[in-house]
Amino acid sequence: FAGIAKIPPAVLTRYPNMSVVYLPTAYLAPIQYYSKLAHTGESCIEIWENYPKQTYRNMCLIATANGTQALTVPVEKPETPKYPTRDIRISNHGNWRHLHWNALVSAYNMSPFFEYYADDFRPFYENRYQYLLEYNEALQTMICGLLEIHPVITHTEKYEPEPENDFRNVIIPRHPQPDPTFFSRPYYQVFRDKHGFIPNLSIADLLFNMGPESILYL
């Protein structure tokens, strides 16, 4: 596949040692996140942390005609400052489902595989989910099926401050932390001629642009 360059030895040597990785829950998670799901023995999703704001837990990034756009799932304000992620509820105020779906259609209706996958994604913008964790994991299950990957997913049983292979606060939209196990290479994007290649967008960007070859890229 021409979109993949030679992987640095550092990446190849790191993955065999990562039998378990710790990840946050994520809405239409970035490619970096799915590279962990695809290449590690077990992915342990953090559910007992105090819910942080402005992260991929309820936000994704897509490429549009105007550049990168953030789509945010609104959540109900927690009752206390410290509130576990597992209990965060989705807010039904506003028309966010309609807005998110229209944004995806506008951004990707000209991509090679949007029509191929549209029927898989559409129900998630028609049906209501009560909890953010439930919604994210239903989307993740669907996407893993499209990618034909079969990750072992578990949940944390309590909050561990510094577990080994901790990516909970590494895969973040602002000021991402160094990750020697992730190596990004350009692939086809609809608006690449206009904006250049935009790395590490939502997995939806990879699927709509690369289709079944997405797994080869991962």
Side-chain angles (χ1 to χ4, degrees):
F1 174 49
I4 300 179
K6 183 178 180 181
I7 305 300
V11 176
L12 297 176
T13 57
R14 287 290 185 118
Y15 272 115
N17 298 323
M18 292 170 54
S19 59
V20 181
V21 296
Y22 286 80
L23 298 168
T25 185
Y27 168 58
L28 290 180
I31 294 168
Q32 181 183 10
Y33 188 103
Y34 275 87
S35 74
K36 305 293 184 283
L37 296 184
H39 289 284
T40 54
E42 177 185 340
S43 297
C44 190
I45 307 301
E46 176 59 66
I47 65 173
W48 291 105
E49 65 184 354
N50 294 325
Y51 180 74
K53 299 178 180 179
Q54 298 181 339
T55 70
Y56 288 127
R57 288 159 180 82
N58 70 322
M59 182 183 76
C60 73
L61 299 176
I62 63 173
T64 74
N66 296 318
T68 304
Q69 179 180 345
L71 301 179
T72 302
V73 177
V75 298
E76 295 182 359
K77 185 177 180 180
E79 299 172 358
T80 62
K82 295 183 178 181
Y83 205 75
T85 293
R86 69 186 294 272
D87 294 331
I88 293 294
R89 296 172 183 264
I90 295 175
S91 173
N92 290 315
H93 293 293
N95 201 18
W96 71 269
R97 295 176 183 83
H98 177 73
L99 294 175
H100 282 211
W101 180 245
N102 281 354
L104 289 171
V105 172
S106 177
Y108 297 111
N109 65 342
M110 297 301 292
S111 66
F113 294 96
F114 180 77
E115 290 188 4
Y116 187 73
Y117 294 124
D119 288 343
D120 296 293
F121 280 82
R122 186 182 291 110
F124 293 93
Y125 301 95
E126 297 174 341
N127 302 325
R128 293 193 175 191
Y129 288 78
Q130 185 175 9
Y131 291 95
L132 179 65
L133 180 66
E134 173 193 20
Y135 182 56
N136 287 350
E137 294 197 341
L139 265 171
Q140 180 178 283
T141 298
M142 180 271 292
I143 291 170
C144 286
L146 298 181
L147 292 169
E148 297 187 357
I149 61 175
H150 307 283
V152 176
I153 306 292
T154 61
H155 292 156
T156 55
E157 298 181 355
K158 62 180 181 178
Y159 182 75
E160 296 285 353
E162 296 181 356
E164 189 176 3
N165 300 322
D166 183 4
F167 294 94
R168 294 172 298 181
N169 296 304
V170 171
I171 305 174
I172 54 178
R174 295 183 179 181
H175 310 297
Q177 302 302 305
D179 179 4
T181 68
F182 177 67
F183 185 66
S184 181
R185 277 295 187 187
Y187 57 86
Y188 172 80
Q189 291 176 332
V190 174
F191 302 109
R192 182 173 173 179
D193 289 344
K194 185 175 182 180
H195 300 296
F197 174 72
I198 305 175
N200 204 28
L201 293 172
S202 166
I203 191 66
D205 185 85
L206 182 64
L207 277 168
F208 292 147
N209 284 306
M210 299 302 295
E213 291 187 331
S214 297
I215 185 58
L216 302 181
Y217 182 86
L218 289 177

